[in-house]
Amino acid sequence: MNEHTHVLVVGGGPAGSTAATLLAREGFQVILLERDQHPREHIGESLLPSILNVLDLIGAREKAEAHGFVKKWGGYLEWGEDTFEINFGDPAEPDQGYGFQVIRSEFDHLLIQHAETQGVDVRQNVRAAEVLFTDGRATSVRWTDTRDATRTGEISFDYLIDASGRAGLMATKYLGGRRYNEGFRNIAAYSYWTGTKQPKSGPPGAIQVAAVTDGWLWAIPLHDGTLSVGVVAHKQSFQARRDGGRTIEQVYADALAESPLVSDLIEHGTRVRPIQVEQDFSYICEESAGPGYFIAGDAASFLDPLLSTGVHLATFSATLASAGVSSILRGELAEQEVAEYYRGAYQTAYIRFLVLVSSLYLNYRGKKSLFWEAHEMSREDVGDGEVIKAFWNVVSGLEDLGDADSGASALVFSEMRRLIDVYFAKDSGRDDAWLATLPEDERRQVLDEVKPLVAPNEYALSEETALNGFYVRTTPHLALVRVGEQAAAVER
Ligand SMILES: Cc1cc2nc3c(=O)[nH]c(=O)nc-3n(C[C@H](O)[C@H](O)[C@H](O)COP(=O)(O)OP(=O)(O)OC[C@H]3O[C@@H](n4cnc5c(N)ncnc54)[C@H](O)[C@@H]3O)c2cc1C
């Protein structure tokens, strides 16, 4: 069976459902292929407050609120000798400033069902098996029914959004793979507990994070009364323990026992699921957009889960990609311009979180807490006068990063060095006071480049929060708009 659609989305996780819904709501024909059948299990339960923006954008806020997920008002970290309490918002103002702790099978199911109600042609148990190219341009996908391999077909499209998660259809098969970040070659082992104490540290619904000798632990309260408890450790140390004859269960139990915070929570609890393991989860794919395609979410890049950024990056990139596709299909922007922008914006969004995660890892063992400052900055929407100070705080936290010349750390450093060379060479006298003396357009140029690296929680939904000079506008239609320009207000 051969057919055609405006947009083919591969993958029905948060990235795929978000992109598909946004485009279908604009009146484009969208087919979404998901190889599994929802509800399907997935790791990644702790969502940042930016999820509220996403849910509002796709019109699913009410459904998510009604579902009863735990509201996450922040986090609590026991990190070396430091403890941090992170407050996203004020529970007395109940409409904003929180994320959710979600059971992902339920959350992802809700999103894909919502996509269907918004006009997306959702096909589950269908695997995108192969992408076909015409003169270097992605033009169609061959699919296979995962329950009946004799059922196959081909769908041609104007645009492909690859949101296939870590399976990474485009990256692993056609773009020469991914660049792994050696410093973050971690392993996670996790399970679920009942009969535990409810976390009391930090704001209501807070994720609990505790550093242990070789890594860190998470404890996340879920709305079915279970507690998700996981350990993240470097692959080598994890392996060394396994080589010493320890089972996964023992390594997991040893790690939990190291933290008084987590031990106390699970003291009278029972582990109710087998331990699951995930590994090698920090990478970036160089080509996140090209002729006929955009890659969103984990399919493009994945960062260590320390700051719970996965679903944010997935839905954020899906929003940028779908706004870009919308603008191209309406003839407002050229494909090459959008693809170039998308690659750069994705890298910036990824790097700025990488910088924060790196800072946090570096500052383990009680050094001055850059993480806390960085977080404060992001929450307070960095005032212009504070930007350069903030930038230097982040840079100085990276100075002694061990593997600075390899993997994604090198990416951070090269970006930092570029910015330093361009704007902030040592003894150049360029500080906040200097910034204030610049003409408005020059000042904006500096801020556009530097600010995204230090203010990671913004969502590029307005001129003020633009990322790399563009932002997403939703009325009168979804569009990617260059700062200072109004997109043509044409209806399709
Ligand atoms: C240990 C660990 C802890 C984490 N903790 C958090 C956290 O607390 N908070 C957070 O925000 N993130 C967390 N994450 C990250 C989070 O899981 C991901 O970033 C997020 O799920 C990405 O969403 P996605 O839509 O890009 O991909 P996915 O959610 O993986 O969805 C991809 C979908 O594509 C489908 N698919 C794959 N290949 C094909 C194909 N060929 N054809 C059709 N369908 C296909 C898959 O079945 C899947 O449903 C964590 C990750 C790990 C490893």
Side-chain angles (χ1 to χ4, degrees):
M1 185 173 48
N2 287 359
E3 47 189 332
H4 183 83
T5 182
H6 291 135
V7 182
L8 180 70
V9 176
V10 174
S17 290
T18 300
T21 304
L22 283 171
L23 286 164
R25 281 162 69 96
E26 293 293 307
F28 296 110
Q29 290 166 343
V30 185
I31 298 177
L32 183 154
L33 307 182
E34 166 55 53
R35 71 177 173 196
D36 290 340
Q37 172 71 50
H38 283 267
R40 55 102 178 88
E41 288 198 356
H42 208 292
I43 186 64
E45 292 138 344
S46 195
L47 309 188
L48 294 174
S50 65
I51 197 62
L52 299 183
N53 287 327
V54 180
L55 293 167
D56 283 337
L57 273 183
I58 63 175
R61 173 91 175 258
E62 223 171 287
K63 289 178 190 170
E65 297 281 3
H67 194 86
F69 298 121
V70 171
K71 283 186 178 176
K72 166 190 172 185
W73 288 96
Y76 176 77
L77 288 84
E78 290 191 352
W79 203 252
E81 288 154 22
D82 296 332
T83 57
F84 312 111
E85 195 170 302
I86 297 165
N87 292 283
F88 292 147
D90 179 358
E93 286 179 33
D95 293 337
Q96 56 190 6
Y98 56 87
F100 289 116
Q101 313 284 21
V102 302
I103 296 174
R104 279 290 300 276
S105 58
E106 296 178 23
F107 183 72
D108 291 10
H109 193 201
L110 184 151
L111 291 190
I112 202 169
Q113 280 181 321
H114 178 70
E116 204 154 20
T117 67
Q118 302 300 298
V120 178
D121 181 349
V122 173
R123 303 181 189 176
Q124 303 197 56
N125 303 299
V126 177
R127 186 171 65 87
E130 196 184 347
V131 181
L132 304 176
F133 297 82
T134 309
D135 299 329
R137 180 181 186 81
T139 47
S140 62
V141 151
R142 287 215 179 99
W143 57 265
T144 310
D145 189 321
T146 53
R147 294 164 306 180
D148 173 5
T150 63
R151 274 199 70 237
T152 60
E154 190 175 322
I155 303 170
S156 60
F157 46 75
D158 297 334
Y159 278 94
L160 168 70
I161 296 186
D162 176 6
S164 57
R166 279 188 284 152
L169 180 64
M170 286 294 294
T172 58
K173 273 189 146 176
Y174 306 102
L175 300 176
R178 292 153 162 165
R179 215 147 52 113
Y180 282 86
N181 182 342
E182 286 306 320
F184 293 135
R185 271 213 129 127
N186 290 338
I187 284 196
Y190 61 95
S191 185
Y192 298 85
W193 295 69
T194 57
T196 64
K197 288 182 194 157
Q198 280 299 308
K200 288 275 185 301
S201 306
I207 183 172
Q208 315 278 301
V209 172
V212 291
T213 311
D214 291 323
W216 56 275
L217 308 175
W218 79 70
I220 299 172
L222 299 169
H223 70 279
D224 64 355
T226 59
L227 192 69
S228 163
V229 183
V231 53
V232 175
H234 197 271
K235 210 171 167 179
Q236 275 167 5
S237 59
F238 198 90
Q239 202 49 53
R241 286 175 189 230
R242 293 297 314 277
D243 292 346
R246 316 285 290 159
T247 62
I248 293 252
E249 286 74 14
Q250 284 167 330
V251 174
Y252 177 79
D254 290 350
L256 271 47
E258 262 195 66
S259 159
L261 176 73
V262 173
S263 299
D264 180 54
L265 289 173
I266 60 170
E267 188 182 3
H268 303 297
T270 310
R271 181 165 65 77
V272 288
R273 300 255 291 271
I275 291 164
Q276 284 162 275
V277 174
E278 308 262 356
Q279 59 181 314
D280 279 345
F281 40 65
S282 293
Y283 54 78
I284 186 159
C285 140
E286 308 285 346
E287 290 299 317
S288 52
Y293 72 86
F294 288 85
I295 311 181
D298 281 9
S301 71
F302 187 75
L303 183 60
D304 188 89
L306 181 57
L307 292 177
S308 305
T309 45
V311 171
H312 166 84
L313 278 171
T315 51
F316 178 57
S317 56
T319 305
L320 287 185
S322 43
V325 166
S326 172
S327 286
I328 298 169
L329 290 177
R330 290 178 203 273
E332 294 166 359
L333 292 174
E335 173 185 279
Q336 208 183 338
E337 183 180 20
V338 175
E340 225 165 81
Y341 166 73
Y342 183 77
R343 284 194 290 268
Y346 207 137
Q347 211 176 51
T348 303
Y350 182 84
I351 288 174
R352 66 195 187 183
F353 279 125
L354 186 62
V355 167
L356 290 186
V357 172
S358 305
S359 307
L360 187 48
Y361 275 119
L362 281 169
N363 283 278
Y364 177 43
R365 295 194 208 293
K367 275 166 89 185
K368 187 167 164 295
S369 162
L370 291 174
F371 170 74
W372 175 242
E373 287 186 23
H375 184 82
E376 276 280 286
M377 290 183 302
S378 66
R379 242 181 343 115
E380 308 271 304
D381 186 13
V382 185
D384 287 353
E386 291 294 302
V387 169
I388 292 182
K389 188 170 144 236
F391 176 75
W392 277 112
N393 280 340
V394 175
V395 174
S396 59
L398 289 167
E399 269 165 4
D400 46 342
L401 189 63
D403 63 345
D405 292 327
S406 69
S409 307
L411 206 63
V412 177
F413 268 87
S414 62
E415 177 62 5
M416 289 293 186
R417 283 193 185 121
R418 189 184 68 75
L419 288 173
I420 289 167
D421 288 346
V422 174
Y423 298 117
F424 309 118
K426 214 170 175 204
D427 303 325
S428 65
R430 291 176 186 151
D431 53 14
D432 292 329
W434 161 78
L435 190 67
T437 65
L438 294 184
E440 174 60 21
D441 53 338
E442 283 179 37
R443 203 168 63 91
R444 178 117 327 265
Q445 195 194 344
V446 176
L447 292 174
D448 280 348
E449 281 223 88
V450 175
K451 203 166 162 179
L453 284 168
V454 294
N457 273 349
E458 297 165 352
Y459 209 72
L461 288 173
S462 64
E463 281 215 50
E464 293 68 45
T465 59
L467 177 62
N468 293 11
F470 280 82
Y471 64 98
V472 174
R473 196 206 53 188
T474 52
T475 53
H477 59 252
L478 183 68
L480 199 57
V481 185
R482 198 181 287 107
V483 169
E485 277 178 20
Q486 282 293 318
V490 283
E491 285 304 335
R492 206 166 171 274

